[in-house]
Amino acid sequence: MKVLILGAGAMGSLVGARLSRTDAKVVLFSTNRRHMETVVRDGLIIEELDGSLTRFKLDACYRPEDIPWRPDLVIVLVKSYATQPAVASVKGLCRGSTIFLTLQNGVGNWERVAEQTGKDSVLIGSTAQGATLVEAGRIRHGGKGLTVLGEPEGEPSRRSHEVAELLRQGGMETQVSGEMELLIWEKLQVNVGINAITALTGIRNGVIAQSEEARALSTAAVEESVRVSRAKGFPIREDMVERVMAIARATAVNRSSMGQDVDRRKRTEIDAINGAIVRLGEELQIPVPVNRTLTQLVKILESQFKPVDS
Ligand code: KPL
Protein backbone atom coordinates (compact mmCIF):
# COMPACT_ATOMS: atom_id res chain seq x y z
CA MET A 1 0.00 0.00 0.00
CA LYS A 2 1.24 3.52 -0.80
CA VAL A 3 0.64 5.92 2.06
CA LEU A 4 0.85 9.69 1.93
CA ILE A 5 1.03 11.49 5.28
CA LEU A 6 -0.67 14.81 4.61
CA GLY A 7 0.53 17.07 7.41
CA ALA A 8 3.78 15.63 8.73
CA GLY A 9 4.08 17.67 11.90
CA ALA A 10 4.74 15.85 15.16
CA MET A 11 1.86 13.35 14.93
CA GLY A 12 2.08 12.89 11.16
CA SER A 13 5.81 12.20 11.38
CA LEU A 14 5.23 9.69 14.19
CA VAL A 15 2.55 7.81 12.23
CA GLY A 16 4.63 7.89 9.03
CA ALA A 17 7.70 6.54 10.82
CA ARG A 18 5.71 3.71 12.39
CA LEU A 19 4.20 2.77 9.01
CA SER A 20 7.62 2.78 7.37
CA ARG A 21 8.32 -0.40 9.38
CA THR A 22 5.59 -2.24 7.45
CA ASP A 23 5.45 -3.28 3.79
CA ALA A 24 3.79 0.06 2.96
CA LYS A 25 5.59 2.73 0.92
CA VAL A 26 5.40 5.98 2.88
CA VAL A 27 5.98 9.60 1.99
CA LEU A 28 5.72 12.48 4.45
CA PHE A 29 4.32 15.77 3.19
CA SER A 30 4.44 19.06 5.05
CA THR A 31 4.80 22.70 4.06
CA ASN A 32 7.47 22.89 6.77
CA ARG A 33 10.33 22.83 4.28
CA ARG A 34 13.13 22.70 6.86
CA HIS A 35 11.59 19.66 8.59
CA MET A 36 11.08 17.83 5.28
CA GLU A 37 14.57 18.61 3.96
CA THR A 38 16.15 17.48 7.22
CA VAL A 39 14.20 14.20 7.12
CA VAL A 40 15.35 13.54 3.54
CA ARG A 41 18.97 14.38 4.38
CA ASP A 42 19.41 12.86 7.85
CA GLY A 43 16.33 10.70 8.44
CA LEU A 44 13.69 11.27 11.12
CA ILE A 45 14.86 10.84 14.68
CA ILE A 46 12.32 9.76 17.29
CA GLU A 47 13.02 10.16 20.98
CA GLU A 48 11.17 7.07 22.14
CA LEU A 49 9.20 6.78 25.37
CA ASP A 50 12.02 4.84 27.05
CA GLY A 51 14.52 7.59 26.18
CA SER A 52 16.19 5.70 23.33
CA LEU A 53 16.63 7.27 19.90
CA THR A 54 15.45 5.64 16.66
CA ARG A 55 16.32 6.94 13.21
CA PHE A 56 13.90 6.32 10.33
CA LYS A 57 14.83 6.66 6.69
CA LEU A 58 11.78 8.24 5.06
CA ASP A 59 10.72 9.88 1.84
CA ALA A 60 9.53 13.43 2.46
CA CYS A 61 8.58 16.49 0.42
CA TYR A 62 7.19 19.99 0.88
CA ARG A 63 5.66 20.52 -2.59
CA PRO A 64 2.69 18.42 -3.78
CA GLU A 65 4.27 18.00 -7.22
CA ASP A 66 7.14 16.08 -5.59
CA ILE A 67 4.88 13.34 -4.18
CA PRO A 68 6.38 10.35 -6.00
CA TRP A 69 3.29 8.22 -6.74
CA ARG A 70 -0.51 8.05 -6.53
CA PRO A 71 -1.36 7.13 -2.94
CA ASP A 72 -3.78 4.34 -1.95
CA LEU A 73 -4.17 5.90 1.47
CA VAL A 74 -3.85 9.54 2.56
CA ILE A 75 -3.61 10.05 6.32
CA VAL A 76 -4.78 13.60 7.00
CA LEU A 77 -3.03 15.19 9.96
CA VAL A 78 -2.91 18.85 8.98
CA LYS A 79 -4.34 21.43 11.39
CA SER A 80 -8.13 21.52 11.15
CA TYR A 81 -8.15 25.01 9.59
CA ALA A 82 -5.81 23.81 6.80
CA THR A 83 -7.90 20.78 5.80
CA GLN A 84 -9.56 22.27 2.75
CA PRO A 85 -6.43 23.66 1.00
CA ALA A 86 -4.31 20.65 1.98
CA VAL A 87 -6.73 18.09 0.52
CA ALA A 88 -7.24 20.27 -2.55
CA SER A 89 -3.47 20.37 -3.13
CA VAL A 90 -3.16 16.57 -3.42
CA LYS A 91 -6.56 15.56 -4.75
CA GLY A 92 -5.43 15.64 -8.38
CA LEU A 93 -2.81 12.99 -7.59
CA CYS A 94 -5.25 10.54 -6.12
CA ARG A 95 -7.28 7.74 -7.69
CA GLY A 96 -11.01 7.26 -7.26
CA SER A 97 -10.16 4.39 -4.89
CA THR A 98 -7.80 6.43 -2.69
CA ILE A 99 -8.90 6.42 0.96
CA PHE A 100 -8.58 9.58 3.03
CA LEU A 101 -8.26 8.80 6.75
CA THR A 102 -8.50 11.85 8.99
CA LEU A 103 -6.91 11.51 12.44
CA GLN A 104 -7.18 15.25 13.16
CA ASN A 105 -8.27 16.95 16.36
CA GLY A 106 -11.57 18.76 16.62
CA VAL A 107 -14.93 18.39 14.90
CA GLY A 108 -15.95 19.16 11.32
CA ASN A 109 -12.82 17.71 9.69
CA TRP A 110 -14.16 14.65 7.92
CA GLU A 111 -17.01 16.69 6.49
CA ARG A 112 -14.45 19.13 5.06
CA VAL A 113 -12.47 16.27 3.49
CA ALA A 114 -15.66 14.68 2.12
CA GLU A 115 -16.71 17.95 0.47
CA GLN A 116 -13.77 17.45 -1.87
CA THR A 117 -13.36 13.70 -2.12
CA GLY A 118 -16.91 12.47 -1.65
CA LYS A 119 -18.04 10.72 1.51
CA ASP A 120 -17.24 7.24 0.13
CA SER A 121 -13.53 8.04 0.13
CA VAL A 122 -13.37 9.01 3.80
CA LEU A 123 -12.49 7.06 6.94
CA ILE A 124 -12.39 8.82 10.27
CA GLY A 125 -10.30 8.12 13.30
CA SER A 126 -9.09 9.44 16.56
CA THR A 127 -5.83 8.85 18.37
CA ALA A 128 -4.69 9.36 21.93
CA GLN A 129 -1.00 9.24 20.97
CA GLY A 130 1.08 12.27 21.85
CA ALA A 131 4.07 13.63 19.94
CA THR A 132 6.18 16.78 20.00
CA LEU A 133 8.21 18.32 17.20
CA VAL A 134 11.50 18.99 18.99
CA GLU A 135 13.28 20.50 16.00
CA ALA A 136 13.43 19.92 12.24
CA GLY A 137 13.94 16.19 11.69
CA ARG A 138 13.40 15.23 15.32
CA ILE A 139 10.25 14.38 17.28
CA ARG A 140 9.56 13.09 20.78
CA HIS A 141 7.00 10.34 21.30
CA GLY A 142 5.14 11.86 24.23
CA GLY A 143 2.67 9.11 25.12
CA LYS A 144 1.08 5.94 23.86
CA GLY A 145 -2.65 5.70 23.37
CA LEU A 146 -5.28 3.85 21.46
CA THR A 147 -6.17 4.76 17.86
CA VAL A 148 -9.71 3.95 16.71
CA LEU A 149 -11.01 4.28 13.17
CA GLY A 150 -13.99 3.42 11.02
CA GLU A 151 -16.50 4.67 8.49
CA PRO A 152 -18.14 8.07 9.18
CA GLU A 153 -21.39 6.16 9.54
CA GLY A 154 -22.28 2.53 9.92
CA GLU A 155 -20.40 -0.63 10.75
CA PRO A 156 -16.65 -0.96 10.19
CA SER A 157 -15.95 -1.92 6.57
CA ARG A 158 -13.32 -4.27 5.22
CA ARG A 159 -11.13 -1.27 4.32
CA SER A 160 -11.34 0.01 7.93
CA HIS A 161 -10.04 -3.37 9.11
CA GLU A 162 -7.25 -3.29 6.52
CA VAL A 163 -6.07 0.19 7.51
CA ALA A 164 -6.30 -0.69 11.21
CA GLU A 165 -4.20 -3.81 10.57
CA LEU A 166 -1.57 -1.69 8.80
CA LEU A 167 -1.35 0.68 11.78
CA ARG A 168 -1.06 -2.31 14.13
CA GLN A 169 1.74 -3.76 11.99
CA GLY A 170 3.49 -0.42 12.47
CA GLY A 171 3.21 -0.89 16.24
CA MET A 172 0.25 1.40 16.96
CA GLU A 173 -2.50 -0.11 19.09
CA THR A 174 -5.56 0.30 16.83
CA GLN A 175 -9.18 -0.79 16.87
CA VAL A 176 -12.12 -0.34 14.53
CA SER A 177 -15.47 1.02 15.60
CA GLY A 178 -18.96 1.48 14.22
CA GLU A 179 -19.43 4.58 16.38
CA MET A 180 -16.81 6.92 15.04
CA GLU A 181 -18.81 10.14 15.22
CA LEU A 182 -19.32 9.57 18.94
CA LEU A 183 -15.64 8.78 19.43
CA ILE A 184 -14.64 11.97 17.60
CA TRP A 185 -16.87 13.90 19.98
CA GLU A 186 -15.33 12.08 22.94
CA LYS A 187 -11.85 12.96 21.69
CA LEU A 188 -13.08 16.54 21.44
CA GLN A 189 -13.72 16.46 25.21
CA VAL A 190 -10.10 15.36 25.76
CA ASN A 191 -8.80 18.28 23.71
CA VAL A 192 -11.25 20.67 25.42
CA GLY A 193 -9.87 19.58 28.80
CA ILE A 194 -6.16 19.64 27.96
CA ASN A 195 -5.17 21.77 24.99
CA ALA A 196 -6.16 25.37 25.77
CA ILE A 197 -5.11 25.16 29.42
CA THR A 198 -1.69 23.75 28.55
CA ALA A 199 -1.30 26.33 25.77
CA LEU A 200 -2.12 29.23 28.08
CA THR A 201 -0.01 28.15 31.03
CA GLY A 202 3.03 26.51 29.43
CA ILE A 203 2.53 23.24 31.31
CA ARG A 204 2.89 19.70 29.97
CA ASN A 205 -0.17 17.46 29.78
CA GLY A 206 0.57 15.61 33.03
CA VAL A 207 0.14 18.76 35.14
CA ILE A 208 -3.56 18.86 34.13
CA ALA A 209 -4.09 15.80 36.31
CA GLN A 210 -1.53 16.69 39.02
CA SER A 211 -2.31 20.30 39.85
CA GLU A 212 -5.49 20.91 41.83
CA GLU A 213 -6.21 24.19 40.02
CA ALA A 214 -5.53 22.81 36.55
CA ARG A 215 -7.69 19.77 37.29
CA ALA A 216 -10.55 21.96 38.50
CA LEU A 217 -10.40 24.22 35.44
CA SER A 218 -10.16 21.27 33.06
CA THR A 219 -13.08 19.55 34.79
CA ALA A 220 -15.23 22.67 34.49
CA ALA A 221 -14.44 23.00 30.77
CA VAL A 222 -15.15 19.33 30.11
CA GLU A 223 -18.40 19.33 32.10
CA GLU A 224 -19.69 22.25 30.05
CA SER A 225 -18.60 20.61 26.85
CA VAL A 226 -20.20 17.27 27.76
CA ARG A 227 -23.49 19.06 28.49
CA VAL A 228 -23.45 20.75 25.10
CA SER A 229 -22.38 17.60 23.24
CA ARG A 230 -25.12 15.52 24.86
CA ALA A 231 -27.69 18.19 23.96
CA LYS A 232 -26.39 17.90 20.38
CA GLY A 233 -27.26 14.18 20.52
CA PHE A 234 -23.93 12.53 21.37
CA PRO A 235 -24.26 10.23 24.42
CA ILE A 236 -20.83 11.06 25.85
CA ARG A 237 -19.61 8.50 28.41
CA GLU A 238 -20.32 9.19 32.08
CA ASP A 239 -16.68 9.00 33.16
CA MET A 240 -15.46 11.55 30.60
CA VAL A 241 -13.59 13.73 33.13
CA GLU A 242 -11.70 10.71 34.48
CA ARG A 243 -10.90 9.70 30.90
CA VAL A 244 -9.44 13.15 30.21
CA MET A 245 -7.28 12.87 33.34
CA ALA A 246 -6.15 9.37 32.33
CA ILE A 247 -5.04 10.67 28.91
CA ALA A 248 -3.28 13.64 30.53
CA ARG A 249 -1.36 11.15 32.69
CA ALA A 250 -0.65 8.79 29.77
CA THR A 251 0.79 11.71 27.77
CA ALA A 252 2.27 13.43 30.86
CA VAL A 253 5.58 14.46 29.27
CA ASN A 254 3.90 15.71 26.09
CA ARG A 255 3.16 19.33 25.38
CA SER A 256 -0.32 19.30 23.80
CA SER A 257 -0.51 20.15 20.12
CA MET A 258 -2.00 23.55 20.99
CA GLY A 259 0.79 24.11 23.50
CA GLN A 260 3.32 23.41 20.75
CA ASP A 261 1.52 25.78 18.38
CA VAL A 262 1.62 28.60 20.92
CA ASP A 263 5.28 27.84 21.74
CA ARG A 264 6.05 28.22 18.03
CA ARG A 265 3.80 31.27 17.74
CA LYS A 266 1.54 29.47 15.27
CA ARG A 267 -2.17 29.63 14.73
CA THR A 268 -3.98 27.09 16.93
CA GLU A 269 -7.00 24.80 16.49
CA ILE A 270 -8.99 26.67 19.14
CA ASP A 271 -11.92 27.24 16.73
CA ALA A 272 -12.36 23.50 16.16
CA ILE A 273 -12.04 22.64 19.89
CA ASN A 274 -13.22 24.99 22.70
CA GLY A 275 -14.49 27.43 20.06
CA ALA A 276 -16.75 24.72 18.62
CA ILE A 277 -18.30 24.25 22.07
CA VAL A 278 -18.84 28.01 22.39
CA ARG A 279 -20.66 28.15 19.03
CA LEU A 280 -22.77 25.15 19.89
CA GLY A 281 -23.53 26.47 23.38
CA GLU A 282 -24.86 29.66 21.78
CA GLU A 283 -26.93 27.70 19.29
CA LEU A 284 -28.41 25.45 21.99
CA GLN A 285 -28.61 28.25 24.58
CA ILE A 286 -26.44 26.41 27.08
CA PRO A 287 -24.03 28.61 29.08
CA VAL A 288 -20.37 27.90 28.38
CA PRO A 289 -18.45 30.60 30.30
CA VAL A 290 -15.34 28.51 30.91
CA ASN A 291 -14.92 27.51 27.27
CA ARG A 292 -15.68 31.06 26.17
CA THR A 293 -12.97 32.43 28.45
CA LEU A 294 -10.42 29.81 27.35
CA THR A 295 -11.24 30.54 23.70
CA GLN A 296 -10.92 34.30 24.17
CA LEU A 297 -7.61 33.96 26.02
CA VAL A 298 -6.11 31.75 23.31
CA LYS A 299 -7.35 34.14 20.64
CA ILE A 300 -5.78 37.10 22.45
CA LEU A 301 -2.50 35.21 22.52
CA GLU A 302 -2.81 34.23 18.85
CA SER A 303 -3.56 37.80 17.82
CA GLN A 304 -0.01 38.67 18.87
CA PHE A 305 1.52 36.12 16.49
CA LYS A 306 2.36 36.73 12.91
CA PRO A 307 0.33 33.96 11.23
CA VAL A 308 2.37 31.20 9.61
CA ASP A 309 1.10 27.98 8.03
CA SER A 310 3.63 25.44 9.16
O1 KPL B 1 -4.60 15.14 21.12
C1 KPL B 1 -3.79 15.60 21.88
C2 KPL B 1 -3.18 16.90 21.50
O2 KPL B 1 -2.20 17.32 22.07
O3 KPL B 1 -3.75 17.52 20.59
C3 KPL B 1 -3.47 14.90 23.19
C4 KPL B 1 -4.13 13.53 23.21
C5 KPL B 1 -4.00 15.75 24.31
C6 KPL B 1 -2.01 14.60 23.39
O4 KPL B 1 -1.23 15.71 23.66
Side-chain angles (χ1 to χ4, degrees):
M1 190 182 285
K2 294 187 178 114
V3 185
L4 165 64
I5 305 291
L6 184 60
M11 274 301 300
S13 300
L14 179 74
V15 173
R18 297 309 187 218
L19 290 184
S20 72
R21 300 197 286 211
T22 71
D23 287 340
K25 275 197 159 85
V26 180
V27 63
L28 304 185
F29 174 80
S30 162
T31 53
N32 183 339
R33 179 172 176 173
R34 219 155 60 82
H35 181 43
M36 294 296 91
E37 286 181 340
T38 309
V39 169
V40 169
R41 198 183 55 236
D42 304 332
L44 175 79
I45 296 172
I46 300 191
E47 298 177 9
E48 303 286 358
L49 286 168
D50 63 4
S52 65
L53 297 184
T54 321
R55 189 186 297 265
F56 292 82
K57 202 172 154 14
L58 274 162
D59 256 353
C61 56
Y62 60 90
R63 292 184 310 193
E65 57 269 33
D66 294 334
I67 295 169
W69 24 251
R70 293 187 183 277
D72 303 304
L73 173 65
V74 178
I75 300 185
V76 184
L77 271 162
V78 290
K79 297 291 174 191
S80 55
Y81 55 79
T83 306
Q84 196 277 334
V87 173
S89 73
V90 300
K91 212 182 105 189
L93 279 174
C94 298
R95 309 171 205 275
S97 58
T98 301
I99 300 168
F100 286 75
L101 164 65
T102 157
L103 290 176
Q104 296 159 282
N105 278 336
V107 289
N109 296 311
W110 77 259
E111 293 88 337
R112 242 166 266 143
V113 177
E115 273 166 22
Q116 296 184 68
T117 64
K119 197 170 162 186
D120 289 350
S121 299
V122 180
L123 288 180
I124 63 179
S126 137
T127 181
Q129 299 265 2
T132 303
L133 184 64
V134 181
E135 61 186 15
R138 189 179 183 113
I139 62 166
R140 182 182 307 124
H141 189 190
K144 269 196 177 158
L146 181 65
T147 300
V148 189
L149 63 91
E151 296 289 333
E153 284 162 5
E155 287 308 304
S157 52
R158 189 165 147 199
R159 60 185 193 169
S160 314
H161 283 286
E162 284 168 3
V163 174
E165 179 54 27
L166 183 69
L167 292 173
R168 278 194 295 269
Q169 280 169 15
M172 293 174 61
E173 192 192 351
T174 309
Q175 292 175 0
V176 291
S177 167
E179 287 190 307
M180 275 322 297
E181 266 274 73
L182 174 59
L183 293 183
I184 295 290
W185 279 76
E186 287 190 341
K187 172 73 193 290
L188 174 68
Q189 317 304 318
V190 173
N191 295 126
V192 160
I194 297 178
N195 291 28
I197 300 169
T198 49
L200 290 163
T201 56
I203 57 176
R204 293 189 185 212
N205 292 2
V207 182
I208 292 279
Q210 280 157 21
S211 141
E212 204 179 307
E213 286 77 17
R215 204 170 51 234
L217 184 55
S218 169
T219 300
V222 173
E223 283 174 352
E224 268 181 22
S225 171
V226 167
R227 224 171 287 135
V228 167
S229 306
R230 287 203 180 125
K232 180 78 181 162
F234 295 102
I236 306 293
R237 54 197 284 172
E238 289 297 327
D239 63 346
M240 199 63 234
V241 169
E242 289 86 85
R243 176 99 191 102
V244 173
M245 297 306 152
I247 293 182
R249 279 190 290 269
T251 59
V253 297
N254 202 52
R255 201 67 184 111
S256 75
S257 52
M258 198 179 290
Q260 293 179 55
D261 289 339
V262 163
D263 295 345
R264 289 162 55 216
R265 302 179 72 75
K266 274 184 55 183
R267 182 174 169 189
T268 74
E269 295 182 299
I270 192 72
D271 284 329
I273 302 178
N274 307 74
I277 294 303
V278 173
R279 289 194 300 279
L280 219 60
E282 275 162 11
E283 190 184 304
L284 300 167
Q285 300 193 340
I286 297 172
V288 284
V290 178
N291 281 283
R292 186 187 306 285
T293 305
L294 290 173
T295 302
Q296 286 167 332
L297 288 170
V298 171
K299 281 183 172 285
I300 293 170
L301 205 54
E302 266 185 349
S303 71
Q304 301 307 297
F305 305 156
K306 193 171 152 289
V308 285
D309 288 335
S310 58

